[in-house]
């Protein structure tokens, strides 16, 4: 912080450049473009890829609303498919939809909860249907499938440094990622008023730049600790997986070949979910729901968009999912307390 203050250069300087380089090294060499937040990063990626006004964009209804909002702000029309048994967009149904609907060129999959989608299947979808894919990696930094990082299959990816995210900054931040230098350049222009040269505005851009201060803190204090943070999350997840034994709770089972980042630890609760969460709270354990209302049901959408079928699995997650504590600062004693609280719930229909 002192270094940034003394430099007198607070926006788009050497700190952002340095952090972008370090993030790129971490993220399988993808070029990183620091942005104001994850929502803007998704919008910038979609616009960099040339989304046309009103164009359909296939996505998941079970996500932070920001995923849908970015599609809308980029001028697209969200098209919702159902999720799979783990709550991630169902790539089988996706494949059927894009086979029948050649008008769908854009796809925004979300690596929800820090679980990677099957990147081999995603790659086949991109190739087989000439899709433009923006991977929403807001929850999946550090997640891999078959040794490969999420975000490396789509033409572009976006992530978020919102404080609760796995690589959380001391405020808002985000990044666009891409292996394509031309797309990276476009994203750099879009985040900075659509300037192609100083005072030359070639298209409508945003003001969405990662601050020097955030970049410095991310690079010096947080990104360097990310592997340790991920290791601790994995340990906690391992303890939960081996010790949670309440038959009313369905545990997550990330696909074989994947390395989850364990951004969250999602359970499905059979019975009265509110009663389960109250039971946890009495034991001093806070919990969350990700996400209780599907994007296609949000009032803000104003009936726009298209939905494939009744989305039964997404609705099941919206009704039954609970996230128990998951972060790298959890102590072993706290993890034990969470496990005891979960296992002692008697259930209530
Ligand atoms: C957090 C999040 C976003 C939005 O990121 P912000 O930085 O909060 O704008 C988008 N998509 C997903 C899946 C997220 O979890």
């Amino acid at each position: 912080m002192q270094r940034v203050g003394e430099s007198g250069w607070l926006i788009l300087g050497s700190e952002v450049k340095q952090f972008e380089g370090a993030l790129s090294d971490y993220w399988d060499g993808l070029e990183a473009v620091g942005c104001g937040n994850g929502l803007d990063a998704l919008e910038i990626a979609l616009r960099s890829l040339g989304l046309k006004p009103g164009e359909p964009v296939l996505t998941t209804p079970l996500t932070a609303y920001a995923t849908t909002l970015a599609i809308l702000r980029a001028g697209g029309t969200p098209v919702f498919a159902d999720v799979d048994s783990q709550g991630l967009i169902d790539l089988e149904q996706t494949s059927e939809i894009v086979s029948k609907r050649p008008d769908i060129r854009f796809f925004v999959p979300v690596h929800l909860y820090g679980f990677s989608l099957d990147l081999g299947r995603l790659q086949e979808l991109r190739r087989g249907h000439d899709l433009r894919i923006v991977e929403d990696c807001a929850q999946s930094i550090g997640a891999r499938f078959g040794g490969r990082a999420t975000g490396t299959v789509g033409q572009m990816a976006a992530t978020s440094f919102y404080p609760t995210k796995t690589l959380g900054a001391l405020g808002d931040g985000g990044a666009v990622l891409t292996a394509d230098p031309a797309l990276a350049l476009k994203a750099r222009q879009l985040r900075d008023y659509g300037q192609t040269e100083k005072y030359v505005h070639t298209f409508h851009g945003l003001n969405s730049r990662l601050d020097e201060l955030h970049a410095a803190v991310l690079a010096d204090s947080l990104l360097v600790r990310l592997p340790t943070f991920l290791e601790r999350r994995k340990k906690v997840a391992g303890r939960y997986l081996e010790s949670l034994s309440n038959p009313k709770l369905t545990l997550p089972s990330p696909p074989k070949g994947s390395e989850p980042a364990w951004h969250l630890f999602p359970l499905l609760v059979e019975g009265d979910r509110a009663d389960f969460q109250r039971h946890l709270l009495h034991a001093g354990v806070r919990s969350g729901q990700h996400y209780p209302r599907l994007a296609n049901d949000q009032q803000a959408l104003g009936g726009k968009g298209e939905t494939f079928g009744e989305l039964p699995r997404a609705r099941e997650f919206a009704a039954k999912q609970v996230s128990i504590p998951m972060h790298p600062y959890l102590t072993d004693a706290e993890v034990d307390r969470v496990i005891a609280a979960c296992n002692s719930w008697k259930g209530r229909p």
Side-chain angles (χ1 to χ4, degrees):
M1 288 181 185
Q2 186 165 3
R3 189 171 75 224
V4 171
E6 283 174 357
S7 80
W9 196 287
L10 304 180
I11 304 279
L12 291 188
S14 59
E15 300 288 348
V16 167
K17 213 171 257 152
Q18 209 162 352
F19 171 65
E20 287 175 344
L23 188 63
S24 168
D25 290 343
Y26 178 80
W27 214 312
D28 290 15
L30 295 179
E31 186 168 342
V33 180
C35 299
N37 53 68
L39 168 65
D40 287 354
L42 284 164
E43 178 185 345
I44 287 170
L46 286 165
R47 289 177 57 185
S48 300
L49 284 167
L51 182 71
K52 295 202 190 83
E55 232 192 303
V57 181
L58 191 62
T59 192
T60 172
L62 186 72
T63 177
Y65 188 68
T67 311
T68 298
L69 186 52
I71 293 168
L72 292 166
R73 284 203 344 198
T77 302
V79 176
F80 300 103
D82 205 0
V83 300
D84 63 17
S85 64
Q86 300 304 306
L88 279 68
I89 189 157
D90 183 347
L91 293 183
E92 294 305 319
Q93 195 191 19
T94 297
S95 169
E96 286 163 28
I97 291 168
V98 293
S99 300
K100 276 187 257 165
R101 289 280 302 269
D103 62 313
I104 298 179
R105 299 188 310 144
F106 277 82
F107 181 32
V108 180
V110 180
H111 302 285
L112 196 70
Y113 305 140
F115 300 159
S116 174
L117 281 156
D118 181 332
L119 296 184
R121 291 283 292 127
L122 198 57
Q123 176 90 46
E124 281 168 30
L125 279 170
R126 176 180 164 176
R127 288 220 185 101
H129 300 277
D130 191 26
L131 292 177
R132 281 120 189 99
I133 298 178
V134 175
E135 293 177 62
D136 184 337
C137 299
Q139 301 186 3
S140 73
I141 186 163
R144 307 181 82 83
F145 193 100
R148 179 175 184 182
T150 60
T152 56
V153 171
Q155 287 87 346
M156 303 191 90
T159 195
S160 163
F161 309 124
Y162 182 81
T164 63
K165 298 292 156 77
T166 301
L167 182 64
L170 300 185
D172 276 309
V176 170
L177 297 132
T178 178
D180 182 333
L183 289 174
L185 178 63
K186 185 84 190 214
R188 288 186 191 288
Q189 293 163 346
L190 278 168
R191 77 172 170 185
D192 195 24
Y193 316 127
Q195 292 183 101
T196 46
E197 282 171 58
K198 200 163 173 62
Y199 305 129
V200 178
H201 299 267
T202 311
F203 34 79
H204 287 270
L206 290 74
N207 172 355
S208 185
R209 303 165 298 218
L210 183 66
D211 287 318
E212 286 283 284
L213 202 51
H214 287 312
V217 172
L218 279 163
D220 280 20
S221 302
L222 298 166
L223 185 57
V224 289
R225 291 187 174 88
L226 182 58
T228 315
F229 290 158
L230 288 165
E231 206 44 51
R232 181 63 192 157
R233 284 173 182 271
K234 194 172 153 185
K235 278 240 169 61
V236 172
R239 292 283 309 285
Y240 283 159
L241 287 171
E242 90 197 2
S243 303
L244 289 174
S245 59
N246 191 327
K248 306 276 180 213
L249 306 176
T250 304
L251 307 186
S253 67
K256 283 210 165 32
S258 73
E259 272 175 66
W262 294 109
H263 174 63
L264 295 171
F265 194 91
L267 300 173
L268 289 181
V269 179
E270 210 49 64
D272 185 342
R273 171 170 65 174
D275 187 64
F276 174 64
Q277 291 191 273
R278 268 195 306 273
H279 172 84
L280 293 184
L281 202 54
H282 281 143
V285 175
R286 268 182 196 275
S287 58
Q289 298 176 358
H290 298 92
Y291 293 85
R293 187 174 295 190
L294 300 180
N296 54 301
D297 290 337
Q298 297 289 350
Q299 189 182 343
L301 193 57
K304 282 201 220 64
E306 204 183 320
T307 301
F308 280 96
E310 299 297 315
L311 311 175
R313 276 188 301 263
R315 296 213 176 278
E316 188 185 3
F317 270 82
K320 297 183 176 174
Q321 193 276 352
V322 167
S323 300
I324 56 173
M326 172 53 80
H327 60 78
Y329 307 106
L330 283 169
T331 64
D332 287 345
E334 285 169 334
V335 172
D336 287 341
R337 196 139 59 86
V338 176
I339 292 167
C342 287
N343 287 345
S344 61
W345 185 55
K346 298 278 183 282
R348 182 197 275 192

